[in-house]
Amino acid sequence: MNGTAKHNGHVCPQHILLVEDEQDLAKLIILNLKALNYSVDHATTLKQAMHIIEHKKLDLILMDRMLPDGDGIMLCEQLRQAGKEVPLMLLTAKDSEADVVLGLEAGADDYLVKPFSVLELRARVKALLRRGKAHQEQTQQIEFNSVTINSSTREVTAFNKALTLTAREFDLLLFLAKHPLQVFSRMQLLEAVWGYNYDGYEHTVNSHINRLRNKLSQCSPEHDLVKTVWGVGYKFSPPEVQTH
């Protein structure tokens, strides 16, 4: 069944927040989301959105960029910096590659350019909610020599030091660590971690890899856990199988 999840034996609708000040578009989106049995809250400003986010448990946020009191990217960045991991899709008329990359690097999970088809919106919403549910149900802990990654608590310990990672940095490290020594291209990582596979966004992966490496190196400069395979991509190299 679309739009529902079980809690304590009861079927509850998945809860979506729509942040959109264009009333006609908002009505159309809400109509379609409710047709899929989702519960929908609607905000027209960043201030209203933040109030809802602070007081309700959300499964997905759909947010316009250009709002009366600011850019939706600002709220996206605030949520990620605060450690909130609710899936978030930006809705915007800004369609340049630079704008899309800016949104993704701010922590958005998807980016839908206006005007868009209702069918595409429905498909992307379903995909984000599936990924979010799978992430919530995941309880695996990955352990290597001196490195522990807990996907349930989203905590990383490397060489007896706790690592502070952004949500996207954690997802990137977790994916690589699940496939130790396997080499992934930037496009493969973009698709697996961001859900995108479009040409031109590979430097988004580069910037996140560089930040992740810097944080890992602060724990143990002599261990290069995320290695570059020149001309191919990146791999996770656990301490016990380091080669020099």
Side-chain angles (χ1 to χ4, degrees):
M1 182 183 297
N2 285 326
T4 59
K6 285 188 177 180
H7 296 286
N8 300 322
H10 300 287
V11 177
C12 302
Q14 289 176 289
H15 196 172
I16 298 174
L17 169 61
L18 171 65
V19 190
E20 171 62 66
D21 64 326
E22 189 179 332
Q23 291 297 332
D24 288 343
L25 178 59
K27 288 178 182 177
L28 178 63
I29 293 174
I30 292 169
L31 180 67
N32 277 271
L33 293 178
K34 288 187 173 180
L36 296 174
N37 297 319
Y38 299 126
S39 172
V40 184
D41 267 313
H42 178 214
T44 59
T45 65
L46 295 177
K47 183 178 180 180
Q48 290 175 0
M50 183 55 77
H51 179 78
I52 293 170
I53 290 167
E54 289 175 348
H55 291 87
K56 295 191 177 182
K57 183 182 182 302
L58 300 170
D59 296 292
L60 176 64
I61 299 173
L62 305 178
M63 184 158 50
D64 187 18
R65 274 199 58 182
M66 304 312 295
L67 294 160
D69 54 346
D71 192 327
I73 281 184
M74 295 165 52
L75 180 54
C76 182
E77 290 175 334
Q78 290 175 15
L79 294 176
R80 297 314 186 219
Q81 288 168 5
K84 294 186 181 294
E85 299 161 12
V86 57
L88 188 149
M89 183 196 301
L90 289 172
L91 309 175
T92 177
K94 293 178 175 289
D95 61 353
S96 73
E97 178 183 310
D99 283 311
V100 175
V101 170
L102 181 64
L104 295 176
E105 293 198 336
D109 297 281
D110 203 351
Y111 194 106
L112 189 56
V113 176
K114 300 176 182 178
F116 48 79
S117 75
V118 170
L119 291 178
E120 182 177 9
L121 174 68
R122 286 186 175 210
R124 292 196 183 208
V125 165
K126 289 178 184 178
L128 282 175
L129 288 170
R130 280 196 304 269
R131 292 208 298 268
K133 183 179 179 182
H135 174 71
Q136 290 173 4
E137 293 175 347
Q138 189 180 44
T139 58
Q140 182 180 6
Q141 178 164 298
I142 301 175
E143 295 186 17
F144 299 99
N145 181 27
S146 303
V147 179
T148 301
I149 304 169
N150 190 313
S151 61
S152 179
T153 62
R154 295 181 71 81
E155 294 175 333
V156 179
T157 303
F159 308 99
N160 298 316
K161 295 181 181 179
L163 221 62
T164 301
L165 302 179
T166 66
R168 192 69 75 188
E169 289 165 356
F170 179 89
D171 291 341
L172 185 57
L173 177 61
L174 179 63
F175 178 78
L176 288 169
K178 282 182 176 179
H179 309 88
L181 300 180
Q182 184 174 342
V183 181
F184 293 94
S185 69
R186 287 184 289 272
M187 288 295 288
Q188 287 173 321
L189 291 173
L190 195 62
E191 183 170 11
V193 179
W194 279 261
Y196 280 79
N197 59 356
Y198 303 132
D199 290 332
Y201 302 154
E202 295 98 322
H203 52 285
T204 297
V205 176
N206 292 345
S207 62
H208 280 78
I209 286 283
N210 290 337
R211 287 196 290 268
L212 178 59
R213 275 178 165 162
N214 287 337
K215 293 181 179 181
L216 290 168
S217 67
Q218 291 173 13
C219 297
S220 179
E222 65 271 20
H223 288 95
D224 186 12
L225 297 178
V226 178
K227 289 189 171 182
T228 299
V229 180
W230 295 107
V232 184
Y234 304 99
K235 67 178 181 180
F236 181 80
S237 185
E240 65 267 31
V241 292
Q242 288 276 337
T243 57
H244 299 281

